Structures are given as structure tokens and as C-alpha cells.
Amino acid sequence: MFMARQRRVVVTGIGTINPLGNSVEEYFDNLAAGVSGAAPITHFDASLFKTRFACEVKNYDSANYFDRKEVRKYDLFTQYALIVADQAMADAGLDVEKIDKDMAGVIWGSGIGGLESFYQEVKGYVEGGYVPRYSPFFIPKMIADIAAGYISIKYGFMGPNYCTISACASSNHALIDALNYIRLGKADLIITGGSEAAVNEPGVGGFNAMQALSTRNDDPKAASRPFDVDRDGFVIGEGGGAMVLEELEHARARGAKIYAELAGGGMSADAYHFTAPHPEGLGAMKSMLGAIRDAGMKLEDIDYVNTHGTSTPVGDPAEIKAILAAFGEHAYSMNISATKSMTGHLLGAAGVIEALASIMAIDRGLVPPTINLSQVDPEIDQRLNLTPNVAQPRDVRAVLSNTFGFGGHNATVIFRKFEND
């Protein structure tokens, strides 16, 4: 039976706003320099919280991007989404009037959505007495799919439009869905990514209650320390990232710059525990091997693994076990790093900003480091190149990037250097 050649999907535009920068260039420059985005919390008075620091977006003023009416309608996670989508669209050099809008879509990821809006509205009701006075914007500001909706409205894209919600795997799932919709011919172009804005009282308080966050209040910049023996939890972050994915011939026809090819994606479930990963990394291994099969690649093709690497006591060793189980001896030839050591953990937006780091590693020939790595945990194989503390130059042909979420959700994407064949 004749099988048509699978449509190839490439990255033609990128954008981000996150704790290390308000553009992709600023972001990767700081990653390469090993800069930490952690600092005392400014969004609210955290003096009574166990954790009093986070990785917040710096130098952000909504008035520089939106008018007052728009700010009333947009939760912060939606603001971030619109900003990074604009950056990616501008970077892609797209003329919206020349796009078949029925074949253009938006697939967005967010693990929590408008948590701040939910918190403020409920708080206002509780403090204001028994008269239920809620804003008419409350529900539209809160729901996680609204960012995708606003992006599609802005550009008039009438193709696939929805939100993926799978905790910290959300934006990687969005990338994989976008990849497959384009492969299947259901879209030629999709804006995809994710955003999150949970550095607030319920976000920090809730994760504190789970004992998930680092409490290294005396030294925030050293708090996120994946693979280190002294790690004590993750550092919560915020922001967003976006990319324009296009079918290859669609991109070629308009002479687009191509950053990399999104070669494949893998997904799995741990089926183990509602928050803890499988201790042997079984689900993570299946996700990675699935991505490699989907990309039609060999284990030896992967030069760099951007890990989920959250700096939690149980998560880091499990992921390393999964990498070793998946790659065998080749694991010792790869670079491995955890960029969350610098950005903190952006929850549902983690996958896309790590995907952007992966793309830029290919583009720049430079692997960003795992900072704050003073002494590798004895549970972790000491022979692995965890890219400690300093970026390492390398001709990066392909990167595998992991994200895992509460509920046992695993999602892996692979980017490779674009070759005109």
C-alpha cells in the first residue's frame, strides 16, 4: 500500500518572557552565562510563608503592552501568552493577510490558568460580606483555555484552537499536538506554547503545604540545584514561551527562516502515584523512547537532553535512571542539563521555555549549564556529563527535552538541526 511521506514540521518564530529575560535573546544570553532568576517575592507579602522567594518575571509593566481596558480582561497568564505570541509571530515574519486562516491554529498549554483572578475574586467576596459581587470578567479571566482563544481572535486564526492541561507537562503536550495536527494535514501553521502566572498566595502556599518548594530563604539564587545532594525542592517561576510551527513546504514557500525541525514527540503515564514519579523512571523512559521512535531517529543521534530536572529529592534521581535505561552507554556521550536551575519551574509553561533553550542550543552550538551543582547526589551516576555550572560548546545536532507533571503525565519532544533534504 502506498504511504505518503510524512509532512515535516519546522520552527519559524520564537518568543518568550520569563525570569531570565523578556526576549529570546536576553533569555538565552542569561542561560549561557549561568544566571539565576531567583529573588525575594515582590508580587505579594510573603513574610509569613515558608518560602519567600521565587523566579518572577523582571521589569514587567502591563501598561507597556496593553491599555487599561485590556488589563481588566486579561489575567497575568493571558498577558504573558499574548506577548510571547506577538514576539513569535513578528520573528516569523508572517503576513497574516496572506495566510489561509482556516489552516492556521493555536494550541496552548497552561497547568493552572488564571489562579490570581480566581484568588482575588473569591477573596473579594469573602472580605466584602454576603453580597455576591463578582466581576463579569471573572470566569473568562480564570479559565485556562482563554489564552488560546485571545491569540486566535487577535490573528483571526480559525483552525484548531484549544488548551492542553497536564500540570507541568502541559506545554510539551501542546507542542506535540501541534506537531501532529500539522503532520496530519489539519493545519499548515500553529502558534503553540504555554504560559503560567502562579507566583501568588495560593500558588506558593499550596506548594508549600505539599513540601514541594525549596525553603532556602537565606540564599535564593542557590536554591534551585538539580542533581545536587543538598537540593530541597523546586523554585516556582512564571512567564511564557511561544513558537510558530509550520509545515516545511509552507515555510519554504514564503522564504521563512527555519530555526530547527520539531522531529518527534513521546507521551506516557507513570500509572504510579498522584504526585511522585515512578522511582525507576519507567514512564519517563517510555516517553523518551516513544519520542525517538516517532522522530525516526537512533539513540546515538541525541547530543543533549534538557531534563525536567526540578531540584526535588525524588524527581531528579528517577529521571536520571530513566535516561540511563533509555540510552544505555550513549548516556555518557551526551550533555545533560537542567535549565530550571536558572529559570525555576514555570509549571505548565516549563516545557516550552525549555524547548526554546533546546532550539537555541542547536542554533548557537552551546549547551546551557546546570548551575548550583556543587556535589552530585550519590544516587546519581557520577560519570554523566550534567554540564555543571558552566555552559559547554558543542555541535548540537538534536536535543531531547522532557517535562513531567503531577498525575504521572510524561511528555518528551525532540528538536533537530534543520537539513534541506
Side-chain angles (χ1 to χ4, degrees):
M1 184 176 72
F2 173 75
M3 295 291 289
R5 185 177 180 184
Q6 183 167 264
R7 283 161 49 110
R8 295 170 66 187
V9 179
V10 293
V11 181
T12 58
I14 52 180
T16 191
I17 182 167
N18 68 58
L20 292 188
N22 296 351
S23 68
V24 171
E25 290 294 317
E26 185 183 9
Y27 168 47
F28 196 78
D29 286 348
N30 281 323
L31 278 181
V35 174
S36 170
I41 290 171
T42 64
H43 289 347
F44 65 95
D45 179 3
S47 59
L48 298 179
F49 286 71
K50 293 178 183 177
T51 296
R52 298 187 289 278
F53 61 92
C55 285
E56 297 176 333
V57 169
K58 314 295 190 298
N59 305 311
Y60 180 71
D61 183 348
S62 61
N64 293 331
Y65 300 94
F66 308 102
D67 63 37
R68 290 177 63 187
K69 289 183 179 179
E70 289 175 316
V71 171
R72 288 183 63 208
K73 294 190 297 183
Y74 303 151
D75 185 89
L76 187 57
F77 98 100
T78 299
Q79 294 178 35
Y80 291 155
L82 287 164
I83 291 166
V84 300
D86 278 355
Q87 290 179 5
M89 285 289 286
D91 187 46
L94 283 160
D95 183 343
V96 178
E97 299 310 312
K98 294 182 179 178
I99 296 170
D100 180 352
K101 294 178 183 176
D102 287 342
M103 294 294 288
V106 183
I107 302 178
W108 205 252
S110 186
I112 297 180
L115 183 60
E116 177 67 16
S117 294
F118 182 86
Y119 172 63
Q120 292 299 336
E121 290 289 337
V122 173
K123 180 183 176 185
Y125 169 63
V126 170
E127 293 179 349
Y130 295 101
V131 179
R133 293 177 180 171
Y134 286 94
S135 165
F137 300 118
F138 170 35
I139 299 300
K141 285 176 73 174
M142 177 192 71
I143 52 179
D145 68 297
I146 201 67
Y150 275 127
I151 294 168
S152 71
I153 290 166
K154 179 163 189 175
Y155 296 107
F157 289 180
M158 300 184 75
N161 180 255
Y162 61 92
C163 176
T164 56
I165 302 174
S166 50
C168 303
S170 296
S171 53
N172 259 14
H173 276 128
L175 300 184
I176 294 168
D177 280 8
L179 166 68
N180 286 327
Y181 270 100
I182 295 172
R183 279 175 168 175
L184 291 168
K186 296 181 182 294
D188 292 328
L189 178 153
I190 292 178
I191 302 175
T192 186
S195 56
E196 207 78 271
V199 182
N200 47 39
E201 290 94 326
V204 174
F207 283 116
N208 266 162
M210 297 178 65
Q211 299 184 358
L213 297 182
S214 170
T215 56
R216 195 181 289 255
N217 295 300
D218 59 336
D219 192 6
K221 292 189 181 304
S224 186
R225 42 197 316 111
F227 317 127
D228 190 84
V229 69
D230 289 328
R231 68 193 183 281
D232 70 328
F234 75 83
V235 178
I236 193 170
E238 63 172 358
M243 62 182 70
V244 174
L245 295 182
E246 284 187 71
E247 190 273 326
L248 175 58
E249 297 309 320
H250 188 275
R252 279 176 169 159
R254 63 182 193 85
K257 174 184 176 178
I258 294 174
Y259 283 96
E261 180 174 0
L262 178 49
M267 300 177 282
S268 72
D270 280 349
Y272 173 74
H273 188 270
F274 69 102
T275 56
H278 189 284
E280 299 302 315
L282 184 60
M285 178 194 71
K286 291 178 182 293
S287 183
M288 287 186 276
L289 291 176
I292 290 166
R293 283 195 302 271
D294 187 53
M297 298 171 71
K298 302 187 296 291
L299 296 171
E300 294 76 18
D301 294 329
I302 305 299
D303 295 312
Y304 166 41
V305 174
N306 186 301
T307 63
H308 185 57
T310 55
S311 186
T312 57
V314 296
D316 294 358
E319 184 173 10
I320 293 298
K321 288 177 183 177
I323 291 169
L324 286 166
F327 286 95
E329 284 299 312
H330 181 61
Y332 303 109
S333 302
M334 302 186 301
N335 276 84
I336 297 168
S337 78
T339 48
K340 286 186 182 73
S341 60
M342 295 171 277
T343 65
H345 191 355
L346 271 66
L347 310 177
V352 67
I353 69 160
E354 288 154 20
L356 295 175
S358 302
I359 291 165
M360 293 305 290
I362 293 170
D363 189 65
R364 299 272 189 93
L366 188 70
V367 176
T370 306
I371 69 167
N372 299 322
L373 189 50
S374 300
Q375 182 180 349
V376 177
D377 186 336
E379 284 191 57
I380 292 172
D381 194 322
Q382 310 288 302
R383 296 171 293 169
L384 295 168
N385 181 2
L386 300 174
T387 321
N389 301 310
V390 178
Q392 295 181 11
R394 178 166 185 158
D395 179 17
V396 182
R397 299 164 301 161
V399 183
L400 179 149
S401 183
N402 284 327
T403 55
F404 314 134
F406 286 170
H409 314 298
N410 305 305
T412 301
V413 290
I414 295 176
F415 294 91
R416 66 183 166 206
K417 188 175 291 188
F418 175 69
E419 295 180 357
N420 239 329
D421 54 33

